[in-house]
Amino acid sequence: MTLRRAPFLALLLAACLCGQDPPPADDNALRQQAFAAENGQRFGPAADAFLQLHRGEPERIEWIVAAGRCLGRSGRFREAVTLLDEARKRRPGVPAIDAMLARTYLLQAETDRSVLLPEVLWADAADLAEAALAADPADEDCRLVLAQARYLLGDTKAAVAQAEEVTRRHPARAGAHVLLGRIAADRMRALSARYDRQQPEGQEAADLVGQIDAARQAAKRSYQRAAELDPSRGHPHVALGELAWLDRKPDAARAHFADALARDPGVPLDHDALGRDLTWQQRADFYAAARSRYEAATAANPAKAATLRFYEGRARCDGGDWTGARAHFAAALAADPTATNNHYYLFVCGWRLDDHDAAAAHAAAYAAAGGPAFADVLRALVGDQRVELAAAVQYLADRAFQQGRVPHSRDLNHVLACYKDSADAWNNHAFLCRETGRFDDAVSSYQHALEKEPDSPQLCNDLGVVLQYHLPNADNLAKARSLYDKALQLAGRQLADPRVVGPERERAQKAQQDATANLAALKG
C-alpha cells in the first residue's frame, strides 16, 4: 500500500504564526479578515488581505511575514520571494524575515514542479536559517527549517543534531519529533530496499534485519511522541498507519488512519488502498465513524467534514445504495461548493435513479468545471460501465439541446469531443461554441476537427466564418481567406472525382458555393 505523505514544510508552515500586536482601530476588520482566511486555509485571500495591511504599514514586520507566509502557502512563490527579499534589503538582520524566506524556499522546492534545481533552494534556505538562528537561537521553527534543509542536502547527521536540539530546547513541541520520525522511517525504507536487493544471508542478514527494526522502532517512538504532544495533528497518525501497514497489521493501520481523519479529514491518504479488502458497508461505516468523531470536536470545519461525506458516498455507490449516496454527495457539495467531483457522482446517482433532470444538471456542472477531466474519468471506466455512462452523457447532451439549454449541451459536447476525439464530435462542439458566443473555443475545436479530417472543405468554411465575422483582425482575415481558398480546392477536387456521388457530392457542392460566397463577402 502506498500512502501519500503530507509535505513536511506545509505542515510546519501551518503551525508558524508570528506574534501579533494590536493594529490601529481602522485596520481591525481587515486584520480579522486576514487571520480568519488563514485559519480557514484560504491562503490566497489571506495573502491579499495581509498585503493590504502591509501597504498601510510598510515597515511593520508582522504584515511582511504574514503576507510572505500566505503567499507561499497559496503557491504564489515569486510574489512571496520578491516581498521577503525586498524587505531583507530594507531591514537587514531581522530574523523573522530571514526565517520566513528560508521556509518559503523549502516549501517551493517541495511543492513547485517547475523548480529544476531544488538543491539550490535547499542551500539558500539553510544559509538563511543559520543566519536567523545566529540572531535568535531559540527560534524552534527556524531550527527545524535548518534541520529539514540539511536532511534534503544529504547531511543526515547534521539534520538529526538540529532536530534533537529542538527537542531539548522545546520539549513540549511536536515538530522535531515529526522530522525525526521521517528520518528514521526513510532509513528503514532504504535498509529494507537494500535487503531486498542484496538478499544477504547468515550474520549479515541478521545484522541488517536488526538495523531495519531499530529504525522502525525509532520512527514509531518519534511519531507517537509527536501525536502525544499535539493531539490536533493528523500527520503523525498517518505515519503510524503507514508503519503498521508495512508491518502487515491492516486493522492497526486503519485505526491510525481513522485517528488522522478524525483530526484532519483533508490529510493526504490513499483512500482506494485504505478501503481495499473491506466491503462497501465497512468502508461506509469507517468514514461515518471518522466524520462523527471529527464533527464532535470543537471548531469542526464543515468543508473538511464534506471530504468524509464524499468517501462515504463513494462506498455507498459501490454498494448500489444510490439514494443514500446521493444524499451524502449533495450534503458534501453544499458544505464545499469547490469540491466539484461531487457533481460527477451526483450525475451517476441521478442516472441510476432515472432522475434525468438531476443527472443532466450535475453532468453539465461537472463538464463546465473541466471537460477534459470529465472525459478522462469516462475513459478510466471499464467495460459496460464506460459504455453506459458515455452513452448517458451523449443522451443528456442531445436532450439539453432539444430543450433549448444550449450552454449545457455545449459543455457536455466538449466532454464527448475530448472522449471520442473525432472530427464530428469536435465539429459539434465548435458549432455550439459559435452559437453561444464562445468564439475562441469554437476556433480551437474547429482546428481539432480539421486535424482529424484535414480534407473537409466544410470545416475550412466554418472556421473561416468564425475568424471573419466574429474575431476579425488583419491576421484572422488573412487566415479566413486562406481557408476559403483551401475549401474551394478541396471541393473542386472532390467534384472532379466521379466516385464522389450522392450526399457526399451534395456536401462538396454546398461547400464550393459557401466558399465562393464567403470569399466574395471578404473581398467586398
Side-chain angles (χ1 to χ4, degrees), residues 279-335:
T279 68
W280 73 266
Q281 186 66 62
Q282 288 172 324
R283 284 186 285 125
D285 292 345
F286 174 89
Y287 288 111
R291 177 169 57 83
S292 179
R293 289 175 60 189
Y294 175 71
E295 290 177 338
T298 57
N301 184 335
K304 285 194 170 187
T307 300
L308 299 175
R309 281 196 178 276
F310 170 81
Y311 284 108
E312 185 177 350
R314 278 188 54 183
R316 293 191 175 280
C317 277
D318 291 343
D321 178 12
W322 305 111
T323 300
R326 178 155 74 167
H328 283 288
F329 292 130
L333 185 62

Tab-separated table of all heavy atoms in Angstrom, residues 279-335:
chain	number	residue	atom	x	y	z
A	279	THR	N	-15.665	-4.517	2.720
A	279	THR	CA	-16.924	-4.423	1.987
A	279	THR	C	-17.330	-2.959	1.888
A	279	THR	O	-16.829	-2.109	2.639
A	279	THR	CB	-18.029	-5.206	2.693
A	279	THR	OG1	-18.337	-4.548	3.944
A	279	THR	CG2	-17.603	-6.645	2.959
A	280	TRP	N	-18.273	-2.684	0.995
A	280	TRP	CA	-18.712	-1.292	0.863
A	280	TRP	C	-19.332	-0.797	2.163
A	280	TRP	O	-19.138	0.376	2.542
A	280	TRP	CB	-19.701	-1.142	-0.298
A	280	TRP	CG	-21.073	-1.712	-0.055
A	280	TRP	CD1	-21.526	-2.942	-0.380
A	280	TRP	CD2	-22.167	-1.030	0.578
A	280	TRP	NE1	-22.838	-3.096	0.009
A	280	TRP	CE2	-23.261	-1.930	0.605
A	280	TRP	CE3	-22.337	0.242	1.119
A	280	TRP	CZ2	-24.501	-1.595	1.143
A	280	TRP	CZ3	-23.563	0.578	1.661
A	280	TRP	CH2	-24.631	-0.325	1.668
A	281	GLN	N	-20.029	-1.671	2.869
A	281	GLN	CA	-20.657	-1.257	4.126
A	281	GLN	C	-19.600	-0.943	5.182
A	281	GLN	O	-19.725	0.021	5.953
A	281	GLN	CB	-21.585	-2.345	4.635
A	281	GLN	CG	-22.397	-1.931	5.864
A	281	GLN	CD	-23.394	-0.828	5.570
A	281	GLN	OE1	-24.294	-1.011	4.764
A	281	GLN	NE2	-23.224	0.332	6.198
A	282	GLN	N	-18.544	-1.752	5.222
A	282	GLN	CA	-17.461	-1.488	6.174
A	282	GLN	C	-16.784	-0.156	5.876
A	282	GLN	O	-16.447	0.597	6.798
A	282	GLN	CB	-16.438	-2.631	6.127
A	282	GLN	CG	-16.935	-3.931	6.750
A	282	GLN	CD	-15.975	-5.089	6.509
A	282	GLN	OE1	-15.342	-5.194	5.444
A	282	GLN	NE2	-15.862	-5.981	7.478
A	283	ARG	N	-16.597	0.133	4.585
A	283	ARG	CA	-15.996	1.423	4.230
A	283	ARG	C	-16.918	2.585	4.598
A	283	ARG	O	-16.477	3.608	5.114
A	283	ARG	CB	-15.657	1.458	2.735
A	283	ARG	CG	-14.418	0.661	2.397
A	283	ARG	CD	-14.014	0.818	0.956
A	283	ARG	NE	-14.879	0.060	0.070
A	283	ARG	CZ	-15.539	0.564	-0.958
A	283	ARG	NH1	-15.471	1.854	-1.223
A	283	ARG	NH2	-16.285	-0.206	-1.720
A	284	ALA	N	-18.205	2.425	4.309
A	284	ALA	CA	-19.159	3.481	4.663
A	284	ALA	C	-19.160	3.714	6.172
A	284	ALA	O	-19.163	4.863	6.641
A	284	ALA	CB	-20.553	3.107	4.173
A	285	ASP	N	-19.144	2.629	6.940
A	285	ASP	CA	-19.137	2.747	8.401
A	285	ASP	C	-17.841	3.398	8.890
A	285	ASP	O	-17.860	4.192	9.853
A	285	ASP	CB	-19.305	1.375	9.049
A	285	ASP	CG	-20.687	0.782	8.821
A	285	ASP	OD1	-21.604	1.534	8.420
A	285	ASP	OD2	-20.843	-0.441	9.021
A	286	PHE	N	-16.720	3.076	8.250
A	286	PHE	CA	-15.434	3.652	8.625
A	286	PHE	C	-15.479	5.175	8.505
A	286	PHE	O	-15.095	5.905	9.428
A	286	PHE	CB	-14.330	3.067	7.733
A	286	PHE	CG	-12.975	3.687	7.932
A	286	PHE	CD1	-12.091	3.192	8.877
A	286	PHE	CD2	-12.566	4.777	7.162
A	286	PHE	CE1	-10.839	3.765	9.058
A	286	PHE	CE2	-11.324	5.360	7.334
A	286	PHE	CZ	-10.457	4.853	8.289
A	287	TYR	N	-15.958	5.669	7.353
A	287	TYR	CA	-15.981	7.117	7.139
A	287	TYR	C	-17.051	7.800	7.984
A	287	TYR	O	-16.856	8.932	8.454
A	287	TYR	CB	-16.187	7.422	5.660
A	287	TYR	CG	-14.965	7.111	4.826
A	287	TYR	CD1	-14.970	6.060	3.920
A	287	TYR	CD2	-13.794	7.843	4.976
A	287	TYR	CE1	-13.842	5.760	3.169
A	287	TYR	CE2	-12.663	7.544	4.242
A	287	TYR	CZ	-12.688	6.502	3.332
A	287	TYR	OH	-11.566	6.204	2.600
A	288	ALA	N	-18.163	7.117	8.202
A	288	ALA	CA	-19.207	7.698	9.054
A	288	ALA	C	-18.687	7.878	10.487
A	288	ALA	O	-18.942	8.915	11.129
A	288	ALA	CB	-20.442	6.809	9.051
A	289	ALA	N	-17.939	6.887	10.973
A	289	ALA	CA	-17.390	6.986	12.326
A	289	ALA	C	-16.347	8.093	12.415
A	289	ALA	O	-16.316	8.861	13.393
A	289	ALA	CB	-16.779	5.644	12.736
A	290	ALA	N	-15.486	8.201	11.402
A	290	ALA	CA	-14.468	9.259	11.410
A	290	ALA	C	-15.127	10.634	11.371
A	290	ALA	O	-14.701	11.568	12.065
A	290	ALA	CB	-13.524	9.080	10.228
A	291	ARG	N	-16.184	10.762	10.556
A	291	ARG	CA	-16.885	12.051	10.457
A	291	ARG	C	-17.556	12.398	11.784
A	291	ARG	O	-17.516	13.555	12.228
A	291	ARG	CB	-17.911	12.001	9.331
A	291	ARG	CG	-18.737	13.278	9.200
A	291	ARG	CD	-19.536	13.269	7.916
A	291	ARG	NE	-20.405	12.118	7.791
A	291	ARG	CZ	-21.616	12.041	8.346
A	291	ARG	NH1	-22.093	13.051	9.054
A	291	ARG	NH2	-22.356	10.962	8.176
A	292	SER	N	-18.155	11.404	12.419
A	292	SER	CA	-18.806	11.649	13.705
A	292	SER	C	-17.801	12.148	14.740
A	292	SER	O	-18.079	13.089	15.495
A	292	SER	CB	-19.487	10.366	14.194
A	292	SER	OG	-20.095	10.566	15.448
A	293	ARG	N	-16.623	11.536	14.737
A	293	ARG	CA	-15.586	11.971	15.679
A	293	ARG	C	-15.108	13.383	15.353
A	293	ARG	O	-14.909	14.201	16.259
A	293	ARG	CB	-14.400	11.004	15.629
A	293	ARG	CG	-14.682	9.637	16.227
A	293	ARG	CD	-13.499	8.710	16.015
A	293	ARG	NE	-12.277	9.228	16.636
A	293	ARG	CZ	-11.059	8.691	16.453
A	293	ARG	NH1	-10.927	7.641	15.642
A	293	ARG	NH2	-10.017	9.208	17.048
A	294	TYR	N	-14.936	13.659	14.065
A	294	TYR	CA	-14.462	14.992	13.678
A	294	TYR	C	-15.503	16.058	14.016
A	294	TYR	O	-15.164	17.116	14.561
A	294	TYR	CB	-14.139	15.025	12.184
A	294	TYR	CG	-13.749	16.407	11.705
A	294	TYR	CD1	-12.527	16.960	12.062
A	294	TYR	CD2	-14.612	17.152	10.908
A	294	TYR	CE1	-12.168	18.232	11.642
A	294	TYR	CE2	-14.261	18.423	10.479
A	294	TYR	CZ	-13.045	18.959	10.847
A	294	TYR	OH	-12.708	20.226	10.438
A	295	GLU	N	-16.756	15.793	13.698
A	295	GLU	CA	-17.804	16.791	13.934
A	295	GLU	C	-18.060	17.011	15.422
A	295	GLU	O	-18.577	18.063	15.814
A	295	GLU	CB	-19.089	16.360	13.229
A	295	GLU	CG	-18.990	16.463	11.715
A	295	GLU	CD	-20.227	15.978	10.996
A	295	GLU	OE1	-20.994	15.203	11.589
A	295	GLU	OE2	-20.426	16.376	9.828
A	296	ALA	N	-17.696	16.043	16.240
A	296	ALA	CA	-17.854	16.202	17.686
A	296	ALA	C	-16.786	17.117	18.275
A	296	ALA	O	-16.944	17.622	19.393
A	296	ALA	CB	-17.801	14.840	18.378
A	297	ALA	N	-15.702	17.326	17.524
A	297	ALA	CA	-14.628	18.185	18.008
A	297	ALA	C	-15.052	19.648	17.909
A	297	ALA	O	-15.924	20.016	17.131
A	297	ALA	CB	-13.359	17.959	17.186
A	298	THR	N	-14.434	20.479	18.703
A	298	THR	CA	-14.731	21.909	18.658
A	298	THR	C	-14.178	22.504	17.372
A	298	THR	O	-13.155	22.065	16.844
A	298	THR	CB	-14.104	22.630	19.866
A	298	THR	OG1	-12.691	22.383	19.864
A	298	THR	CG2	-14.714	22.124	21.154
A	299	ALA	N	-14.888	23.506	16.855
A	299	ALA	CA	-14.459	24.242	15.660
A	299	ALA	C	-14.282	23.342	14.448
A	299	ALA	O	-13.378	23.544	13.637
A	299	ALA	CB	-13.153	24.995	15.940
A	300	ALA	N	-15.128	22.334	14.320
A	300	ALA	CA	-15.067	21.480	13.139
A	300	ALA	C	-15.441	22.293	11.905
A	300	ALA	O	-16.380	23.091	11.921
A	300	ALA	CB	-16.013	20.296	13.298
A	301	ASN	N	-14.704	22.087	10.823
A	301	ASN	CA	-14.910	22.815	9.574
A	301	ASN	C	-15.846	22.002	8.674
A	301	ASN	O	-15.492	20.899	8.260
A	301	ASN	CB	-13.553	23.035	8.885
A	301	ASN	CG	-13.660	23.874	7.634
A	301	ASN	OD1	-14.710	23.932	7.001
A	301	ASN	ND2	-12.579	24.526	7.271
A	302	PRO	N	-17.043	22.523	8.339
A	302	PRO	CA	-17.978	21.746	7.514
A	302	PRO	C	-17.394	21.331	6.164
A	302	PRO	O	-17.700	20.248	5.654
A	302	PRO	CB	-19.167	22.703	7.329
A	302	PRO	CG	-19.092	23.634	8.499
A	302	PRO	CD	-17.626	23.803	8.780
A	303	ALA	N	-16.543	22.191	5.578
A	303	ALA	CA	-15.943	21.844	4.291
A	303	ALA	C	-15.017	20.645	4.429
A	303	ALA	O	-14.898	19.827	3.506
A	303	ALA	CB	-15.183	23.040	3.726
A	304	LYS	N	-14.346	20.524	5.564
A	304	LYS	CA	-13.480	19.359	5.776
A	304	LYS	C	-14.310	18.109	6.044
A	304	LYS	O	-13.998	17.018	5.556
A	304	LYS	CB	-12.522	19.625	6.935
A	304	LYS	CG	-11.384	20.572	6.587
A	304	LYS	CD	-10.311	20.518	7.645
A	304	LYS	CE	-9.067	21.263	7.183
A	304	LYS	NZ	-7.945	21.092	8.135
A	305	ALA	N	-15.388	18.261	6.828
A	305	ALA	CA	-16.261	17.119	7.071
A	305	ALA	C	-16.857	16.608	5.765
A	305	ALA	O	-17.140	15.413	5.623
A	305	ALA	CB	-17.375	17.510	8.046
A	306	ALA	N	-17.012	17.528	4.788
A	306	ALA	CA	-17.567	17.134	3.490
A	306	ALA	C	-16.689	16.098	2.801
A	306	ALA	O	-17.189	15.264	2.026
A	306	ALA	CB	-17.734	18.365	2.603
A	307	THR	N	-15.389	16.141	3.049
A	307	THR	CA	-14.488	15.141	2.460
A	307	THR	C	-14.877	13.733	2.906
A	307	THR	O	-14.896	12.787	2.107
A	307	THR	CB	-13.033	15.436	2.879
A	307	THR	OG1	-12.671	16.736	2.422
A	307	THR	CG2	-12.078	14.408	2.299
A	308	LEU	N	-15.210	13.586	4.175
A	308	LEU	CA	-15.587	12.273	4.695
A	308	LEU	C	-16.960	11.853	4.174
A	308	LEU	O	-17.196	10.670	3.904
A	308	LEU	CB	-15.569	12.295	6.224
A	308	LEU	CG	-14.190	12.621	6.825
A	308	LEU	CD1	-14.278	12.755	8.330
A	308	LEU	CD2	-13.176	11.543	6.457
A	309	ARG	N	-17.855	12.824	4.009
A	309	ARG	CA	-19.151	12.512	3.394
A	309	ARG	C	-18.952	12.004	1.959
A	309	ARG	O	-19.638	11.084	1.507
A	309	ARG	CB	-20.040	13.749	3.380
A	309	ARG	CG	-20.710	14.050	4.701
A	309	ARG	CD	-21.852	15.026	4.510
A	309	ARG	NE	-22.551	15.292	5.741
A	309	ARG	CZ	-23.525	14.525	6.244
A	309	ARG	NH1	-23.877	13.420	5.598
A	309	ARG	NH2	-24.131	14.851	7.356
A	310	PHE	N	-18.031	12.636	1.246
A	310	PHE	CA	-17.754	12.225	-0.132
A	310	PHE	C	-17.327	10.766	-0.188
A	310	PHE	O	-17.846	9.974	-0.996
A	310	PHE	CB	-16.676	13.125	-0.735
A	310	PHE	CG	-16.155	12.658	-2.056
A	310	PHE	CD1	-16.861	12.909	-3.216
A	310	PHE	CD2	-14.959	11.956	-2.147
A	310	PHE	CE1	-16.389	12.480	-4.453
A	310	PHE	CE2	-14.478	11.516	-3.369
A	310	PHE	CZ	-15.194	11.787	-4.526
A	311	TYR	N	-16.394	10.369	0.678
A	311	TYR	CA	-15.909	8.992	0.630
A	311	TYR	C	-16.963	7.999	1.132
A	311	TYR	O	-17.017	6.862	0.650
A	311	TYR	CB	-14.602	8.862	1.415
A	311	TYR	CG	-13.433	9.433	0.656
A	311	TYR	CD1	-12.833	10.624	1.031
A	311	TYR	CD2	-12.952	8.797	-0.490
A	311	TYR	CE1	-11.777	11.162	0.309
A	311	TYR	CE2	-11.896	9.321	-1.213
A	311	TYR	CZ	-11.318	10.507	-0.813
A	311	TYR	OH	-10.277	11.037	-1.536
A	312	GLU	N	-17.806	8.431	2.049
A	312	GLU	CA	-18.915	7.556	2.441
A	312	GLU	C	-19.882	7.391	1.272
A	312	GLU	O	-20.389	6.292	1.017
A	312	GLU	CB	-19.647	8.131	3.656
A	312	GLU	CG	-20.730	7.200	4.160
A	312	GLU	CD	-21.423	7.695	5.413
A	312	GLU	OE1	-20.956	8.681	6.017
A	312	GLU	OE2	-22.450	7.088	5.785
A	313	GLY	N	-20.110	8.471	0.536
A	313	GLY	CA	-20.966	8.379	-0.652
A	313	GLY	C	-20.396	7.434	-1.683
A	313	GLY	O	-21.134	6.637	-2.291
A	314	ARG	N	-19.084	7.481	-1.893
A	314	ARG	CA	-18.464	6.571	-2.856
A	314	ARG	C	-18.654	5.115	-2.435
A	314	ARG	O	-18.916	4.233	-3.267
A	314	ARG	CB	-16.975	6.884	-2.985
A	314	ARG	CG	-16.670	8.030	-3.912
A	314	ARG	CD	-15.180	8.178	-4.161
A	314	ARG	NE	-14.567	6.949	-4.634
A	314	ARG	CZ	-13.269	6.799	-4.864
A	314	ARG	NH1	-12.445	7.823	-4.662
A	314	ARG	NH2	-12.774	5.664	-5.292
A	315	ALA	N	-18.512	4.856	-1.128
A	315	ALA	CA	-18.715	3.487	-0.651
A	315	ALA	C	-20.147	3.035	-0.928
A	315	ALA	O	-20.393	1.897	-1.351
A	315	ALA	CB	-18.394	3.397	0.836
A	316	ARG	N	-21.096	3.919	-0.703
A	316	ARG	CA	-22.500	3.557	-0.931
A	316	ARG	C	-22.791	3.368	-2.423
A	316	ARG	O	-23.632	2.543	-2.795
A	316	ARG	CB	-23.418	4.613	-0.312
A	316	ARG	CG	-23.323	4.618	1.207
A	316	ARG	CD	-24.387	5.449	1.881
A	316	ARG	NE	-24.281	5.302	3.330
A	316	ARG	CZ	-24.759	4.275	4.025
A	316	ARG	NH1	-25.412	3.304	3.388
A	316	ARG	NH2	-24.608	4.211	5.323
A	317	CYS	N	-22.109	4.122	-3.269
A	317	CYS	CA	-22.234	3.878	-4.714
A	317	CYS	C	-21.803	2.460	-5.054
A	317	CYS	O	-22.473	1.751	-5.824
A	317	CYS	CB	-21.371	4.869	-5.497
A	317	CYS	SG	-22.133	6.462	-5.784
A	318	ASP	N	-20.689	2.035	-4.473
A	318	ASP	CA	-20.196	0.690	-4.753
A	318	ASP	C	-21.181	-0.373	-4.290
A	318	ASP	O	-21.209	-1.483	-4.844
A	318	ASP	CB	-18.837	0.473	-4.079
A	318	ASP	CG	-17.735	1.309	-4.712
A	318	ASP	OD1	-17.939	1.792	-5.848
A	318	ASP	OD2	-16.682	1.500	-4.070
A	319	GLY	N	-21.985	-0.026	-3.273
A	319	GLY	CA	-22.968	-0.974	-2.793
A	319	GLY	C	-24.317	-0.840	-3.462
A	319	GLY	O	-25.256	-1.559	-3.108
A	320	GLY	N	-24.426	0.071	-4.432
A	320	GLY	CA	-25.690	0.252	-5.139
A	320	GLY	C	-26.736	1.026	-4.350
A	320	GLY	O	-27.906	1.073	-4.755
A	321	ASP	N	-26.330	1.658	-3.254
A	321	ASP	CA	-27.257	2.474	-2.463
A	321	ASP	C	-27.264	3.883	-3.046
A	321	ASP	O	-26.694	4.817	-2.487
A	321	ASP	CB	-26.829	2.480	-0.989
A	321	ASP	CG	-27.730	3.351	-0.112
A	321	ASP	OD1	-28.807	3.762	-0.589
A	321	ASP	OD2	-27.349	3.633	1.042
A	322	TRP	N	-27.919	4.031	-4.196
A	322	TRP	CA	-27.847	5.298	-4.923
A	322	TRP	C	-28.545	6.435	-4.182
A	322	TRP	O	-28.069	7.580	-4.208
A	322	TRP	CB	-28.455	5.126	-6.309
A	322	TRP	CG	-27.825	4.012	-7.069
A	322	TRP	CD1	-28.385	2.822	-7.422
A	322	TRP	CD2	-26.472	3.967	-7.547
A	322	TRP	NE1	-27.478	2.026	-8.087
A	322	TRP	CE2	-26.286	2.708	-8.176
A	322	TRP	CE3	-25.395	4.850	-7.496
A	322	TRP	CZ2	-25.081	2.335	-8.761
A	322	TRP	CZ3	-24.190	4.469	-8.068
A	322	TRP	CH2	-24.045	3.230	-8.693
A	323	THR	N	-29.625	6.137	-3.498
A	323	THR	CA	-30.333	7.181	-2.750
A	323	THR	C	-29.488	7.678	-1.582
A	323	THR	O	-29.337	8.891	-1.375
A	323	THR	CB	-31.679	6.644	-2.241
A	323	THR	OG1	-32.472	6.227	-3.366
A	323	THR	CG2	-32.431	7.717	-1.473
A	324	GLY	N	-28.926	6.744	-0.817
A	324	GLY	CA	-28.059	7.136	0.296
A	324	GLY	C	-26.817	7.861	-0.181
A	324	GLY	O	-26.398	8.857	0.421
A	325	ALA	N	-26.221	7.368	-1.259
A	325	ALA	CA	-25.027	8.013	-1.800
A	325	ALA	C	-25.349	9.434	-2.242
A	325	ALA	O	-24.588	10.371	-1.968
A	325	ALA	CB	-24.481	7.201	-2.969
A	326	ARG	N	-26.485	9.612	-2.931
A	326	ARG	CA	-26.839	10.943	-3.419
A	326	ARG	C	-26.987	11.926	-2.264
A	326	ARG	O	-26.560	13.087	-2.375
A	326	ARG	CB	-28.119	10.883	-4.247
A	326	ARG	CG	-28.552	12.251	-4.727
A	326	ARG	CD	-29.389	12.209	-5.980
A	326	ARG	NE	-30.740	11.738	-5.772
A	326	ARG	CZ	-31.706	11.867	-6.702
A	326	ARG	NH1	-31.452	12.451	-7.871
A	326	ARG	NH2	-32.915	11.409	-6.465
A	327	ALA	N	-27.574	11.490	-1.174
A	327	ALA	CA	-27.737	12.379	-0.023
A	327	ALA	C	-26.383	12.848	0.508
A	327	ALA	O	-26.209	14.016	0.865
A	327	ALA	CB	-28.516	11.662	1.080
A	328	HIS	N	-25.395	11.940	0.538
A	328	HIS	CA	-24.064	12.314	1.038
A	328	HIS	C	-23.354	13.257	0.070
A	328	HIS	O	-22.734	14.247	0.495
A	328	HIS	CB	-23.225	11.063	1.290
A	328	HIS	CG	-23.591	10.355	2.557
A	328	HIS	ND1	-23.294	10.854	3.805
A	328	HIS	CD2	-24.252	9.194	2.780
A	328	HIS	CE1	-23.741	10.037	4.727
A	328	HIS	NE2	-24.329	9.009	4.135
A	329	PHE	N	-23.430	12.976	-1.224
A	329	PHE	CA	-22.766	13.859	-2.183
A	329	PHE	C	-23.402	15.250	-2.188
A	329	PHE	O	-22.701	16.258	-2.294
A	329	PHE	CB	-22.823	13.252	-3.593
A	329	PHE	CG	-22.010	12.000	-3.755
A	329	PHE	CD1	-22.558	10.859	-4.325
A	329	PHE	CD2	-20.696	11.947	-3.326
A	329	PHE	CE1	-21.812	9.697	-4.477
A	329	PHE	CE2	-19.931	10.791	-3.463
A	329	PHE	CZ	-20.497	9.670	-4.040
A	330	ALA	N	-24.731	15.293	-2.071
A	330	ALA	CA	-25.415	16.587	-2.047
A	330	ALA	C	-25.007	17.385	-0.817
A	330	ALA	O	-24.753	18.604	-0.902
A	330	ALA	CB	-26.928	16.390	-2.078
A	331	ALA	N	-24.923	16.731	0.333
A	331	ALA	CA	-24.506	17.418	1.561
A	331	ALA	C	-23.057	17.876	1.458
A	331	ALA	O	-22.703	18.972	1.899
A	331	ALA	CB	-24.694	16.492	2.765
A	332	ALA	N	-22.212	17.034	0.874
A	332	ALA	CA	-20.803	17.405	0.711
A	332	ALA	C	-20.661	18.609	-0.203
A	332	ALA	O	-19.875	19.535	0.067
A	332	ALA	CB	-20.014	16.224	0.156
A	333	LEU	N	-21.419	18.632	-1.293
A	333	LEU	CA	-21.347	19.752	-2.226
A	333	LEU	C	-21.869	21.033	-1.592
A	333	LEU	O	-21.314	22.121	-1.807
A	333	LEU	CB	-22.144	19.421	-3.483
A	333	LEU	CG	-22.079	20.438	-4.625
A	333	LEU	CD1	-20.654	20.584	-5.145
A	333	LEU	CD2	-23.016	20.026	-5.751
A	334	ALA	N	-22.930	20.923	-0.790
A	334	ALA	CA	-23.471	22.104	-0.114
A	334	ALA	C	-22.453	22.677	0.873
A	334	ALA	O	-22.325	23.899	1.017
A	334	ALA	CB	-24.766	21.747	0.608
A	335	ALA	N	-21.714	21.792	1.545
A	335	ALA	CA	-20.723	22.253	2.520
A	335	ALA	C	-19.470	22.784	1.866
A	335	ALA	O	-18.787	23.664	2.414
A	335	ALA	CB	-20.361	21.112	3.470
